[in-house]
Amino acid sequence: MDARGALRWWWSTSPHPGAIAVAQLAGEPADLERAIEALCSRSSPAVGAVAWRRFGEIDDGVVARVATGHALVMPHGGPRIRQRLDARMAELGATVLQGAPGADGDYPEAADDLERRMLAALARAASPLAIDLLAAQPARWRAHGAPGAMSARDRRLRRLIDPPRVAIVGPANAGKSTLLNALAGREVAIAHDLPGTTRDAVAARIDFAGLVADVFDTPGAREEMDAIERAAAQLAAHAIERAELVIALTAPGLGWAGDAAPIAPEAGVIRVLNQCDRADADACAEAIDADLAVSAREGQQLDVLVARVRDALVPPADLADPRPWRFDERLG
Ligand SMILES: Nc1nc2c(ncn2[C@@H]2O[C@H](COP(=O)(O)OP(=O)(O)O)[C@@H](O)[C@H]2O)c(=O)[nH]1
Ligand SMILES: [Mg+2]
């Protein structure tokens, strides 16, 4: 993307209420910095850095400076917050665009607007499960007629396009970081038996058997935390509040700790007992309330957890439903 030129502001996420919204700000670096500074009453994060900011009286969230002339601004996903941020950015000299510049691309092969939007969604979709379903939509829309207003199913299926957010919460030493690493298939989080080891909010984009989601590891809040741990805990709280699914993780004897931050009322929760390889796992009190038991370290039952996460975010019935899917809210 050519970030230079007049300051431009647009949303990458749908205007419907969501846990998180992502807006993009692009333009000359000096203009961009001035606008972020005015919005947040603090300097812009350095290039490549991600920081927590207050957006004046409007909201708070994350600013990611992805390039000198390009930043992502991520507030909560309410329509009111969006409107107020649009107004504020216009005040600060940004041109508020409707949709990404050129986001729908040029698809000369598309027969009509429906096919053009389908191809644009296909190009953007994060999840392999989206491919066949999107490809089937033009025919379904023609056979059944355009679907009505955006339904709950339509919104759940949108998770195939924009990765939903999953937070792993639970007491220290439950194995949250070990689980994130096991799911990611690589070391993204530091797993260690010293509490406070997770000093940064860590996330990984993970494919749950066809559904791609962004998974956040969260450090538990502790009594004595240094400044870095407190900042990490704050970012984690933010991730938990915005998660569409929470994996509540524990281990034998650790109990189900009170959550580090409130969970969105519409978020799903899967209660998982970790460390099922231990001899005391079967008889522990936590086993009674767990939806399933896994071993993040030994890999037991992780395939079951992967399928549960996928099915909780995009139920199989939504995928199997032959009715058309309103995959783009701008379609008439
Ligand atoms: N036996 C066993 N130990 C585990 C398992 N998962 C994690 N651990 C150990 O538990 C300790 C804490 O793990 P960590 O992932 O750092 O926990 P966190 O504080 O919740 O992030 C480490 O010593 C891990 O090796 C497991 O499935 N089985
Ligand atoms: Mg950890």
Side-chain angles (χ1 to χ4, degrees):
M1 186 189 60
D2 174 22
R4 302 305 166 93
L7 194 62
R8 287 154 296 151
W9 164 265
W10 71 93
W11 294 92
S12 295
T13 42
S14 125
H16 294 278
I20 185 180
V22 179
Q24 313 227 16
L25 184 65
E28 292 296 340
D31 294 342
L32 182 123
E33 270 166 18
R34 202 170 330 106
I36 293 177
E37 220 169 297
L39 176 68
C40 308
S41 309
R42 274 184 69 179
S43 61
S44 160
V47 174
V50 175
W52 176 274
R53 289 285 187 271
R54 271 217 69 82
F55 309 135
E57 295 298 300
I58 303 171
D59 195 15
D60 53 13
V62 170
V63 176
R65 181 86 177 273
V66 293
T68 48
H70 185 194
L72 306 182
V73 176
M74 295 173 249
H76 295 83
R80 183 75 191 121
I81 289 172
R82 214 173 141 113
Q83 280 167 10
R84 291 183 66 193
L85 280 171
D86 281 351
R88 181 74 179 122
M89 293 318 291
E91 231 173 69
L92 296 175
T95 305
V96 177
L97 303 177
Q98 301 304 316
D104 286 343
D106 286 325
Y107 296 96
E109 69 273 36
D112 54 17
D113 193 44
L114 175 60
E115 281 190 15
R116 196 171 57 81
R117 292 208 188 276
M118 184 277 287
L119 290 168
L122 202 54
R124 210 162 63 76
S127 287
L129 275 174
I131 297 168
D132 290 350
L133 199 62
L134 278 170
Q137 293 312 308
R140 287 192 191 177
W141 281 57
R142 286 184 196 117
H144 295 256
M150 183 77 75
S151 69
R153 168 182 172 255
D154 290 331
R155 266 192 286 277
R156 286 191 297 267
L157 287 174
R158 291 274 301 248
R159 293 171 173 164
L160 298 173
I161 300 176
D162 299 308
R165 299 160 68 93
V166 175
I168 306 175
V169 308
N173 284 334
K176 300 180 293 297
S177 301
T178 306
L179 179 64
L180 179 65
N181 289 336
L183 292 172
R186 64 195 154 94
E187 295 275 309
V188 284
I190 304 166
H192 200 281
D193 45 16
L194 280 177
T197 307
T198 304
R199 288 167 66 95
D200 210 345
V202 180
R205 188 158 280 193
I206 292 170
D207 185 337
F208 289 89
L211 170 74
V212 172
D214 287 332
V215 183
F216 292 78
D217 181 15
T218 62
R222 296 185 303 125
E223 291 287 312
E224 291 154 46
M225 295 197 289
D226 64 27
I228 299 173
E229 285 179 78
R230 271 198 303 277
Q234 199 179 29
L235 278 169
H238 200 55
I240 294 167
E241 282 164 18
R242 294 176 181 205
E244 285 156 83
L245 181 71
V246 170
I247 298 176
L249 194 74
T250 192
L254 296 183
W256 302 93
D259 300 304
I263 293 170
E266 63 279 10
V269 178
I270 303 179
R271 292 160 81 87
V272 180
L273 173 64
N274 187 31
Q275 310 194 11
C276 76
D277 55 287
R278 281 169 44 178
D280 56 347
D282 282 346
C284 73
E286 292 80 5
I288 297 163
D289 296 316
D291 297 315
L292 83 155
V294 305
S295 170
R297 205 167 69 181
E298 309 301 328
Q300 280 148 262
Q301 296 289 101
L302 288 184
D303 51 344
V304 178
L305 176 60
V306 161
R308 293 258 181 115
V309 167
R310 181 198 55 200
D311 295 352
L313 287 164
V314 179
D318 285 352
L319 290 167
D321 189 332
R323 285 174 301 173
W325 163 28
R326 183 176 278 285
F327 58 92
D328 184 327
E329 71 271 14
R330 292 166 299 181
L331 279 165

